[in-house]
């Protein structure tokens, strides 16, 4: 039987708490080998033994065996076994060891908890070179879970979201308090984007008219949009650096 959609686990955060910038070992931007070394050095004996076994199982049985694969069950245990602070990294490394493709990642995302969904989003740049997992990013951006929104705007989202969706995602970060330090490739994608500048200006004007403060991050991104010659708003609406 397929694992049902489960409620958020104890290490979940669906309350809108602002996500914080990583410390240089953020799973989405850290090479798996480096992430593995960092995590292994911080797990205690029991957690390390469980983690090593989970990786061995994922490597030995990367596909689905029966209704659900062994490594998918390990994803659900990671928070309890490794602790909330290490769960994202452990899950990403299990997914990497299992060579999870876009189909497997979509299954884990849609059947998993908020924590497992976040790990899938972190794993995308390591496992999916093309845009086929973009629906998962788009789904995360429709949620009110700030940590899912932040994870959706990692390197994979920066590479594959079109300009229209990416601009609205940046605005959503401002609405919900997600730190823009978490938006991958922000400077490159915002640079010279006249339409983003217009949207930011409109949002700032609305808040000012309502007597509300304008987020400091808005001024920062607005400055980035003017850091290179702008293109006309009627130009092609394609993402910067989109892979062909």
């Amino acid at each position: 039987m397929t694992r049902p959609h489960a409620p958020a686990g104890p290490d979940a955060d669906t309350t809108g708490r602002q996500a914080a910038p990583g410390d240089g070992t953020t799973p989405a931007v850290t090479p798996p080998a480096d992430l593995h070394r960092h995590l292994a050095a911080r797990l205690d004996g029991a957690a390390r033994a469980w983690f090593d076994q989970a990786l061995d199982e994922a490597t030995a049985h990367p596909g689905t065996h029966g209704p659900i694969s062994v490594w998918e069950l390990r994803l659900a245990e990671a928070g309890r076994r490794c602790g909330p602070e290490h769960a994202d990294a452990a899950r990403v490394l299990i997914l990497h060891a299992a060579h999870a493709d876009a189909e497997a990642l979509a299954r884990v995302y849609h059947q998993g908890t908020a924590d497992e969904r976040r790990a899938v989003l972190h794993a995308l740049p390591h496992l999916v070179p093309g845009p086929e997992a973009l629906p998962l990013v788009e789904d995360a951006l429709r949620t009110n879970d700030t940590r899912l929104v932040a994870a959706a705007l990692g390197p994979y989202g920066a590479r594959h979201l079109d300009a229209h969706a990416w601009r609205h995602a940046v605005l959503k970060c401002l609405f919900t308090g997600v730190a823009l330090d978490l938006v991958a490739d922000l400077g490159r994608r915002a640079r010279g984007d006249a339409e983003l500048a217009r949207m930011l200006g409109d949002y700032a004007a609305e808040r000012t008219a309502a007597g509300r403060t304008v987020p400091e991050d808005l001024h920062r991104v607005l400055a980035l949009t003017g850091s290179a010659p702008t293109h006309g708003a009627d130009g092609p609406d394609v993402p910067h650096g989109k892979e062909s």
Side-chain angles (χ1 to χ4, degrees):
M1 182 175 67
T2 301
R3 181 156 55 102
H5 183 87
D11 53 328
D13 184 350
T14 58
T15 63
R17 178 171 62 86
Q18 180 172 329
D23 61 357
T25 55
T26 303
V29 300
T30 305
D34 293 343
L35 190 64
H36 183 278
R37 284 192 293 271
H38 177 85
L39 179 60
R42 286 159 176 77
L43 295 177
D44 63 24
R48 176 66 184 272
W50 177 89
F51 176 60
D52 288 343
Q53 180 180 348
L55 291 185
D56 288 344
E57 290 170 342
T59 301
H61 304 288
T64 301
H65 293 259
I68 188 169
S69 59
V70 173
W71 56 265
E72 288 181 66
L73 296 174
R74 300 296 173 252
L75 294 176
E77 299 175 11
R80 177 166 54 88
R81 297 285 192 168
C82 297
E85 68 275 24
H86 300 308
D88 276 352
R91 291 184 177 112
V92 168
L93 289 167
I94 291 169
L95 289 167
H96 190 265
H99 300 289
D101 59 15
E103 181 179 354
L105 291 167
R107 182 177 67 250
V108 171
Y109 180 91
H110 289 297
Q111 295 177 359
T113 65
D115 301 297
E116 291 162 54
R117 291 183 175 201
R118 189 173 61 254
V120 167
L121 295 168
H122 285 317
L124 292 180
H126 303 305
L127 293 170
V128 185
E132 53 267 33
L134 193 55
L136 305 184
V137 172
E138 294 167 341
D139 181 84
L141 290 173
R142 289 191 291 267
T143 73
N144 291 319
D145 184 329
T146 58
R147 293 199 293 171
L148 281 183
V149 172
L153 290 171
Y156 189 85
R159 190 158 61 237
H160 295 293
L161 280 169
D162 67 29
H164 177 78
W166 185 82
R167 291 170 187 140
H168 282 276
V170 170
L171 281 177
K172 180 157 188 172
C173 289
L174 296 172
F175 298 155
T176 59
V178 172
L180 292 186
D181 284 342
L182 297 169
V183 178
D185 231 358
L186 177 68
R188 181 180 64 84
R189 291 213 57 171
R191 187 173 298 117
D193 191 333
E195 177 61 13
L196 177 61
R198 183 196 65 77
M199 293 168 67
L200 292 170
D202 288 349
Y203 177 55
E206 290 172 5
R207 290 188 65 90
T208 300
R212 304 177 69 185
T213 59
V214 176
E216 187 60 36
D217 268 353
L218 186 147
H219 298 295
R220 174 187 167 200
V221 183
L222 194 57
L224 288 172
T225 65
S227 60
T230 59
H231 300 287
D234 56 348
D237 193 23
V238 296
H240 299 267
K242 178 78 171 184
E243 297 175 352
S244 58

